[in-house]
Amino acid sequence: MKSGRKSASVDKAFELISAVSGSGRSGMTLGELAAHTGVAVSTAHRYAISLLELGVLERDAAGAFRLGVTLITLAGRYLEEDGLRAAAQPYLAELVEISGETVHLGVPVGHHIVYVDKVESAKSVRLVSRIGSRVPLHCTAMGKAVLAFLDEPRRAEILAVRTEPRTPRSLTGDALLAELDSVRDQGFAIDDEENEEGVRCIGLPIMNASGRPVGAFSVSAPAGRFSLGDCHRLAPVALGMAADIGRRIGYAAPGTRKLA
């Protein structure tokens, strides 16, 4: 909810930052920023100047805006001090050794999962992703793992926003709700080419002391070498790791979960 000029200004500043973050190496011109965020060029200029002074944005010789070093500093401090990431790191590395595939750690932010850590597969063909990227909750393994364990009001609030299919295999509506019930029963979720065609993942939630999902991790691979059977065979080990990570951040593991 936006309430007052100050909060609206913060929202707009973050909208500009988000726009620049998605522009890649080319950056964005002032005119592109204004058009993307739906404000006058003079308004975009005012916000951009403030962000430049704070070091949140920087501007190259051609006049294009890119992300500035202040964000790198803040992100670095967050990653250094993040207890969840520290607790999960040894398990992520072990899971890569066991599975041979790429492992991600993410946290829920709004309607998305944001990657906060990643351990790459050593295989020559692997997935392209980066720390800081965000993916939808409703059609990813980590996202469904989180959604399944949210309290009903929060889950309903998230799903009330239209969930667009990302591939022909994406689940929506009643099918998605039934899937989340299954995820809650078995303790893990599978993204069966629902977010990206040709990619399959298994994801598990990480719970805090109050039983709320504060993060998730996943194993992701090209679907041709990571079958549904592979996901289910990996599940018992991954469930044990999820419980161990939860205990390391102060969570008493729940009762036995049944596997599908």
Side-chain angles (χ1 to χ4, degrees):
M1 180 181 296
K2 296 179 181 178
S3 56
R5 187 167 60 89
K6 185 174 293 185
S7 62
S9 296
V10 172
D11 287 347
K12 188 58 66 177
F14 270 89
E15 192 176 343
L16 263 69
I17 295 168
S18 180
V20 173
S21 73
S23 64
R25 294 183 179 180
S26 60
M28 296 188 81
T29 65
L30 184 60
E32 289 170 338
L33 267 179
H36 187 90
T37 55
V39 299
V41 171
S42 60
T43 302
H45 181 263
R46 185 171 70 250
Y47 284 116
I49 291 300
S50 295
L51 294 171
L52 284 170
E53 292 174 350
L54 292 168
V56 175
L57 296 182
E58 60 183 33
R59 198 172 192 179
D60 64 20
F65 292 94
R66 296 191 180 90
L67 295 181
V69 294
T70 294
L71 288 177
I72 298 172
T73 301
L74 294 174
R77 288 175 182 169
Y78 169 80
L79 294 175
E80 287 175 1
E81 298 171 6
D82 179 24
L84 172 61
R85 185 170 175 266
Q89 278 181 330
Y91 297 95
L92 304 185
E94 183 180 355
L95 200 50
V96 170
E97 290 292 324
I98 293 170
S99 68
E101 304 296 351
T102 298
V103 177
H104 292 93
L105 176 70
V107 295
V109 179
H111 292 72
H112 295 82
I113 287 284
V114 177
Y115 296 147
V116 296
D117 205 354
K118 174 185 179 181
V119 183
E120 291 271 17
S121 165
K123 295 178 179 177
S124 58
V125 178
R126 53 195 180 195
L127 305 180
V128 177
S129 61
R130 60 183 174 82
I131 294 175
S133 297
R134 62 179 192 169
V135 293
L137 285 171
H138 71 280
C139 60
T140 58
M142 282 196 289
K144 290 191 295 181
V146 167
L147 276 175
F149 288 89
L150 290 176
D151 59 64
E152 289 295 337
R154 178 57 180 149
R155 187 200 298 187
E157 179 186 349
I158 291 172
L159 295 180
V161 177
R162 187 175 180 183
T163 50
E164 295 288 347
R166 295 285 292 259
T167 77
R169 301 178 71 97
S170 300
L171 302 177
T172 59
D174 290 342
L176 177 58
L177 292 175
E179 171 80 353
L180 295 179
D181 287 342
S182 176
V183 170
R184 192 176 183 92
D185 286 342
Q186 65 191 11
F188 64 91
I190 294 176
D191 163 7
D192 188 16
E193 303 185 63
E194 296 162 47
N195 184 56
E196 185 177 350
E197 291 186 82
V199 176
R200 185 172 288 119
C201 315
I202 179 174
L204 296 94
I206 300 170
M207 318 288 257
N208 68 4
S210 62
R212 181 173 62 87
V214 293
F217 63 91
S218 67
V219 180
S220 306
R225 70 175 189 230
F226 194 47
S227 68
L228 290 174
D230 292 330
C231 292
H232 284 270
R233 283 189 287 274
L234 191 60
V237 172
L239 282 166
M241 290 181 174
D244 286 346
I245 296 168
R247 280 190 286 268
R248 291 187 69 178
I249 60 171
Y251 174 57
T256 302
R257 293 166 174 161
K258 64 179 182 180
L259 297 178

